[in-house]
Amino acid sequence: GHQDLEKGEGSHERSKKTLELIKREKQEYRDTKFIDNFELPSATLIYGNKVAIITFSQTEPIGIIIENKDTADTQRKVFEKLWGVAKKQ
């Protein structure tokens, strides 16, 4: 399993759809990197002082939005650390 990180979108599992997104990343101002053997069951998006967490389960998708500057800053730091160890395809 692989996890990919996208600056400008979020994080998603490496899939055929993600590989298609990579083909358009320059024109859509996005950069994508992958982390091997690292899978997350949800997507996290960080924007402004908000963090959105979305889980697409087989039974029912669920999402939450946390509006808190400290939480958003913490998640940004986690993302940047992961971005630093992630690799291009």
Side-chain angles (χ1 to χ4, degrees):
H2 309 278
Q3 185 74 20
D4 71 277
L5 303 173
E6 298 177 20
K7 282 198 172 185
E9 274 227 4
S11 64
H12 308 277
E13 186 175 339
R14 186 188 299 213
S15 66
K16 187 175 182 179
K17 178 183 174 193
T18 301
L19 296 175
E20 288 297 319
L21 287 173
I22 291 171
K23 293 177 184 176
R24 299 189 316 263
E25 68 181 14
K26 286 190 183 197
Q27 70 192 49
E28 294 178 359
Y29 304 102
R30 178 180 49 249
D31 196 11
T32 305
K33 292 183 177 183
F34 295 92
I35 299 176
D36 290 331
N37 302 313
F38 183 72
E39 293 184 40
L40 298 173
S42 60
T44 302
L45 296 97
I46 309 158
Y47 52 100
N49 290 331
K50 297 179 183 175
V51 176
I53 302 169
I54 305 163
T55 301
F56 300 99
S57 69
Q58 292 181 356
T59 55
E60 183 177 347
I62 187 168
I64 60 170
I65 297 175
I66 302 168
E67 187 170 0
N68 179 276
K69 182 182 182 324
D70 291 336
T71 301
D73 289 345
T74 297
Q75 291 302 308
R76 247 184 228 97
K77 287 178 182 179
V78 170
F79 178 89
E80 290 300 330
K81 185 60 93 172
L82 290 171
W83 186 259
V85 299
K87 299 174 184 160
K88 290 298 279 181
Q89 181 188 357

